[in-house]
Amino acid sequence: MEITSPLNVVESVMFGLLVASAAGPLIRFLDRANERWLGGMRTRLEELGIQMPYFNVAMRWWWVAVVAVWVLLAYGLNMKPIAAVLAIFLVSLPGTALSYAAEVRRIRLRDQMVIACRVLASQLTAGPNITNGLREVVPGLSMPIKAEFQRMSEEHFRHGFTVQEVLTGFRDRMKIDAVSLFCNVMVACYQNGGDASVVVRKISESLEQLQRVELKKNTYTAAGRMQVGILAVFPLLFMGMMHLMDPKSVQLMLHSYYGQLALAVVMIMTYIAVRWTMKILEAID
């Protein structure tokens, strides 16, 4: 039975202390880098009502996963060109995912604003003024727009904010066309007077028009988006078919340096083509 010498124990302890002392600064560096890189998107999601309390922890583990994939491909499977390209793709994935989540939430809030205006118009027709209407409309709404109207009601009745301040804060926080239209018209109605129920009903009709316009634009670009998806997965499908017909050639490409380099170039060209096409579709929208 081998007995561990005191020197080995001391060396192990010293190595553990060295790793522990280096982990703290490294984690803080990663957190600062992630905040500079994705802090704007994180703030935007929080403005839209998506809380991200574990953002830093998730990003730390994401970097661990990126490094693990790179080490596995580069040294475990000896595929360094593909490992480098795939690592770049993985690094860019969190930003794309956060942008997609923000767009999905924006569309949901836009659609729910139409319903909120209808419910508010019905409430105002029954008699309450704007301030009471903002509170009484809350039970008839669904998340996430319900949380925003609940917040406006609490800001006014519990914290003493004026209606103008509440609506202006809602508008500046959301930065959504439908919300901006609602808040601007409601502030003008509150300041100048008038039949609030008629005004809100008109806002609802305007928001429905905006909704239809956006849906029509999305319909026009739906075919292009589907083609982009096909373009993105086509190299994988083509490689899969080649593997069924001639597996030896595919294995030779994967195990030779120049074959891996050619595959990495194809991956880069596909990525650039997809991003370029998406930028064009966004410009059309």
Side-chain angles (χ1 to χ4, degrees), residues 268-280:
I268 293 173
M269 293 177 63
T270 303
Y271 178 77
I272 293 174
V274 169
R275 294 301 296 264
W276 190 8
T277 307
M278 292 303 295
K279 288 292 183 182
I280 294 174

Side-chain angles (χ1 to χ4, degrees), residues 184-206:
N184 291 335
V185 176
M186 290 298 292
V187 168
C189 177
Y190 184 80
Q191 292 176 341
N192 301 325
D195 191 342
S197 62
V198 175
V199 172
V200 175
R201 192 171 293 108
K202 292 294 183 181
I203 296 175
S204 176
E205 294 173 358
S206 299

Side-chain angles (χ1 to χ4, degrees), residues 239-267:
M239 191 170 177
M241 289 188 294
M242 287 296 298
H243 186 268
L244 292 175
M245 294 185 294
D246 191 1
K248 292 184 179 180
S249 297
V250 175
Q251 293 176 4
L252 179 62
M253 180 180 66
L254 292 176
H255 291 88
S256 64
Y257 177 79
Y258 291 106
Q260 295 174 14
L261 191 62
L263 184 59
V265 170
V266 171
M267 293 169 65

